[in-house]
Amino acid sequence: MLLASIDESVITGPAWVPTAPPSLDTLLSPTLQPVPLIPAIALLMGMLYVAGAVRLWTSGRRWPVWRCLSFLLGCGAIMVIMGAGIEGYGLRMFSVFMFQQLTLMLGIPAFLALGSPGTLLLRATPHRGPGRLVLRLAFFGLRSRLGRFLIHPAFTVPLFLFNFYGIYFSDIGDLLLPNWYGHVSLELLFLVSGLLFTVPLISADPLPVKKSHGWRVIDAFSEMPLHAFFGVIVMMSPAPMVDLFATAPDSWNIDPIRDQYLAGGLAWAYGELPSLLILLFIMAGWQRAEARQSALTDAEQATPQLDAYNAYLERLRQHEEKYQRP
């Protein structure tokens, strides 16, 4: 795919955009930015995860293959979203950038969380040398007040609000998006925000605070309307909301208002699907937990009755032996 440097009057920093009009081929063709920071982070995360899983497997300990595949799928999705032509078009098209934001915040974190990287870290990290320091930092995070605060809804819900309403309904978007460093910083913020919200809902990792299934459902429901209402507002807006996306290259033949309408539709519709799947996952886990608790309660209640019955049979056996003696 042909690339051309962006006019400095539009975007500053080491950024490149495609010259060809958007199509499925150009959107998905491998096209790294001059500084592929986020794809490099995703690649490093995948390599470290595989190294930890292999360490467990070679030592004879078990680690679910499906968790490994889930985490690697999340890393691969990051590399596609940030390392293909999508990233280039996201520098000039609101709809593409919104697709990136929703995927980074709502889709990818679920795959990463289901991989349980925290549990793998605790099991696979050596207890000597540098590994000892890594474990100390991990346990400090689990016991710290900061860790509890970062995954608390009082922090994550306002953070979600900022990522949609705060960025696009203020001058923050116009300030950061035209600068490549600000653009990438926002993408990192989207991913981190999604992880902070999703991990407490579906992750099996040890956490500073373990939420009940009821609170998880409430948290999931509290997030679902946030991007849906935002999407409706964007769809109804009669003027471009972000100056950067108001003027796409003439050769692309893109109407910025229609592109903005598509961005709002993505926030409304596409954003609901991952949230619904997360909610269904929580409900299924809640049902399994209730079934296990019910079985345990029944077993505990049945144990005294079974013991009494066994004692009764033992007394009968002793009584019969007494009268059968010559």
Side-chain angles (χ1 to χ4, degrees), residues 240-292:
M241 298 176 57
V242 182
D243 292 340
L244 176 65
F245 302 127
T247 55
D250 294 336
S251 61
W252 292 6
N253 193 26
I254 293 176
D255 181 359
I257 298 300
R258 293 188 62 182
D259 184 65
Q260 181 172 278
Y261 184 88
L262 177 57
L266 287 172
W268 179 32
Y270 169 57
E272 290 298 302
L273 179 59
S275 300
L276 179 60
L277 293 177
I278 288 174
L279 182 61
L280 292 176
F281 184 89
I282 296 172
M283 297 297 292
W286 195 356
Q287 191 276 332
R288 290 194 300 268
E290 289 291 332
R292 288 194 298 267

Side-chain angles (χ1 to χ4, degrees), residues 20-21 27 32 46 52 63 66 71 77 79 84 88 95 132 174 207 219 235 254 272 276 287 289 296 312 315:
L27 285 168
L32 290 175
W63 183 254
W66 73 268
F71 190 87
M79 297 179 68
S95 61
R132 189 172 184 178
D174 290 328
L207 297 172
D219 290 348
M235 294 172 67
I254 293 176
E272 290 298 302
L276 179 60
Q287 191 276 332
L296 180 61
Y312 172 72
R315 289 195 299 270

